[in-house]
Amino acid sequence: SRNDINNLLKKLFNKTNFDNLETHQKLASIPHINSIITTNYDKTLEIAYSDNHHLIYKDNDLAYIEKSKTNIYKIHGTIDSLDSIILSKKDYNDLYKNNFSNSLIWSQIKSLLTTKTVVYIGYGHEDDNIDVITDFIHDSLGSNFKEAYLISPNLKKTKLAELNRKKIKYIDSTGEEFINSL
């Protein structure tokens, strides 16, 4: 049941004490990053960014964006609001049924993916709703598509071909190695 799933999610993700936040803290120290889009439910980014972030997981949160802080978009919800979490097939169906293309958050995500250079770290580009959006943006912009990079070690040739088709440049590295090099 969803109640059982929520209890498991709370047990797994509702903590504020993490063994190692070094990579997240290094990411938080990079002043050029003003937006992060994540599908993670946990609080690692919020803890790493301390008071220098604005959490966005529902449309109302957009009204309080501060340019002086890093905006963290949790597009699959947050552990602090179990009703916001997108995990099951039903959750995804509800997202599409409720016309996510007209959602303010998803409009903002489309805008960020359209106007900013995107670096996917720790993300396998396997999420259908992100694929739909990036395909739409790529089809709409054609050769004017902003640069995008995917950081991941040892991708298979089929995945590399897909990234190449989407004009996403591949960097063969772990997220930790990439952030350390920045």
Side-chain angles (χ1 to χ4, degrees):
S1 74
R2 185 57 186 231
N3 192 40
D4 291 335
I5 292 171
N6 285 345
N7 286 330
L8 180 60
L9 289 171
K10 282 193 288 189
K11 184 178 176 181
L12 294 172
F13 296 111
N14 196 18
K15 58 183 181 176
T16 56
N17 185 17
F18 295 92
D19 294 335
N20 186 355
L21 286 175
E22 181 181 348
T23 302
H24 289 83
Q25 289 166 332
K26 285 179 181 179
L27 182 67
S29 73
I30 301 171
H32 303 68
I33 298 173
N34 56 19
S35 296
I36 294 176
I37 303 168
T38 183
T39 56
N40 293 348
Y41 314 123
D42 64 37
K43 299 178 185 183
T44 53
L45 287 168
E46 292 98 304
I47 292 168
Y49 275 87
S50 187
D51 292 333
N52 195 30
H53 78 279
H54 176 65
L55 180 63
I56 301 166
Y57 68 92
K58 59 187 184 310
D59 285 348
N60 293 348
D61 297 330
L62 292 168
Y64 302 101
I65 286 178
E66 296 179 45
K67 291 187 180 203
S68 63
K69 295 187 176 188
T70 298
N71 297 298
I72 301 173
Y73 296 84
K74 294 184 109 173
I75 60 173
H76 285 176
T78 179
I79 194 65
D80 290 332
S81 176
L82 294 172
D83 291 340
S84 70
I85 290 180
I86 298 170
L87 176 65
S88 68
K89 185 173 182 175
K90 181 187 180 315
D91 297 334
Y92 278 95
N93 287 340
D94 288 347
L95 177 68
Y96 287 105
K97 184 171 57 179
N98 294 326
N99 204 0
F100 90 99
S101 62
N102 290 329
S103 157
L104 293 176
I105 284 183
W106 286 102
S107 294
Q108 182 72 7
I109 298 303
K110 284 190 274 189
S111 176
L112 290 170
L113 294 174
T114 301
T115 62
K116 304 291 183 185
T117 296
V118 177
V119 180
Y120 299 97
I121 303 173
Y123 178 74
H125 220 277
E126 301 291 332
D127 194 293
D128 287 342
N129 48 356
I130 296 295
D131 270 353
V132 167
I133 290 171
T134 55
D135 287 348
F136 169 78
I137 292 168
H138 184 265
D139 291 346
S140 297
L141 296 178
S143 63
N144 297 311
F145 190 74
K146 285 283 196 177
E147 287 185 310
Y149 301 87
L150 187 131
I151 314 304
S152 183
N154 309 317
L155 286 185
K156 294 183 170 143
K157 288 183 180 182
T158 54
K159 188 65 176 182
L160 292 174
E162 176 189 338
L163 293 174
N164 191 41
R165 181 182 58 79
K166 293 181 179 196
K167 306 226 185 309
I168 298 172
K169 295 174 179 84
Y170 172 61
I171 298 175
D172 187 359
S173 174
T174 66
E176 291 84 3
E177 291 168 342
F178 179 77
I179 290 170
N180 284 335
S181 70
L182 291 177

